Amino acid sequence: MKQEWIFVPMLAQVLLTALVWAWMNITRVSAMLARGIEPQQLASREQHSVIAGVAGPSDNLQNLFEVPVLFFTGVLAAYVTALADDRLLVLAWLYVGLRWLHSVIHISYHRVTHRYGVHVLSTLVLWGFWTVLAARILYRL
């Protein structure tokens, strides 16, 4: 496998973040225009309750900068150590697929038990990615 293939799922995760960011801005600005809300009325997070109906995309965007940081770090570590292989690539794609599913749930029908289950599963896959990577790094020492 070419080492660079490990960046493809990372690019898919970046695309997800960009799409959620765009959707958040579209829904937020549309809600503000429809309700005649001035931007200054939303100066703090506490004031966002005025447009609570569109909080899903905003909350999901924030979530995309939490645990996924470990994914980005792992992909970069796998590449710079030349340890990226088919197993890590499959785990990376599985993680990203679950993150996409998590985002779809979060910004659409938002059933917490579904979202949480997918979140836990995706995080367990990420721990698996890191376990494989860490074992390979430590084996090299």
Side-chain angles (χ1 to χ4, degrees):
M1 179 193 105
K2 282 183 69 173
Q3 293 288 307
E4 290 78 11
W5 280 104
I6 198 69
F7 289 120
V8 180
M10 186 172 85
L11 293 173
Q13 183 67 22
V14 171
L15 176 61
L16 171 63
T17 305
L19 292 173
V20 170
W21 174 84
W23 184 247
M24 178 202 67
N25 280 290
I26 290 166
T27 57
R28 183 178 285 175
V29 170
S30 296
M32 290 170 63
L33 291 173
R35 299 174 190 167
I37 298 169
E38 294 294 321
Q40 194 60 39
Q41 291 178 264
L42 304 175
S44 71
R45 191 144 181 84
E46 292 78 31
Q47 293 169 309
H48 287 198
S49 63
V50 175
I51 55 169
V54 295
S58 178
D59 291 345
N60 187 248
L61 183 66
Q62 182 177 348
N63 191 257
L64 288 170
F65 287 96
E66 294 171 350
V67 175
V69 169
L70 294 172
F71 171 70
F72 293 123
T73 306
V75 166
L76 292 172
Y79 180 77
V80 299
T81 59
L83 293 172
D85 67 355
D86 291 335
R87 181 179 294 167
L88 288 178
L89 185 62
V90 167
L91 288 168
W93 273 118
L94 186 55
Y95 175 75
V96 170
L98 289 166
R99 290 305 308 196
W100 275 73
L101 180 57
H102 175 269
S103 290
V104 167
I105 294 167
H106 203 169
I107 64 177
S108 63
Y109 72 94
H110 197 221
R111 178 150 231 163
V112 174
T113 55
H114 295 172
R115 181 174 59 98
Y116 181 72
V118 173
H119 175 72
V120 168
L121 188 56
S122 71
T123 305
L124 290 172
V125 169
L126 184 59
W127 295 141
F129 180 99
W130 268 101
T131 299
V132 170
L133 181 59
R136 290 179 181 166
I137 290 171
L138 292 172
Y139 179 74
R140 279 187 166 182
L141 296 180

